[in-house]
Amino acid sequence: MTNIQLGDVRYNAQSGAFEARVDIQRGSTTFRYPCHVTGPVNMDMAAVRAGLKQRALRMSDTGADLMSQI
């Protein structure tokens, strides 16, 4: 089973994107990904969180270069 946890979600006004650390736990291993979702500061937070999770899952499934195992 895959468990997904979001860190603090912050808005970066310079890049116009929401940013967060996303941890994906698969079995006893946790993978951490720095993710962002571009959008306006008033974007629906449920959509922001869903976008961050989707981006992390894509990174996890493709073996992205930016990843750490904890």
Side-chain angles (χ1 to χ4, degrees):
M1 181 175 163
T2 300
N3 182 26
I4 303 173
Q5 298 277 346
L6 291 177
D8 292 337
V9 178
R10 298 181 182 180
Y11 188 73
N12 182 332
Q14 187 172 4
S15 64
F18 290 88
E19 303 170 337
R21 179 198 79 224
V22 183
D23 294 341
I24 298 178
Q25 185 174 359
R26 294 181 189 228
S28 62
T29 305
T30 301
F31 300 92
R32 181 166 287 170
Y33 302 94
C35 296
H36 73 278
V37 172
T38 304
V41 70
N42 62 347
M43 187 172 171
D44 178 62
M45 192 52 67
V48 170
R49 292 180 182 279
L52 290 166
K53 290 178 182 180
Q54 287 175 354
R55 186 169 296 266
L57 284 170
R58 281 195 309 268
M59 290 173 75
S60 177
D61 291 341
T62 60
D65 294 334
L66 209 67
M67 145 178 101
S68 67
Q69 179 178 334
I70 56 175

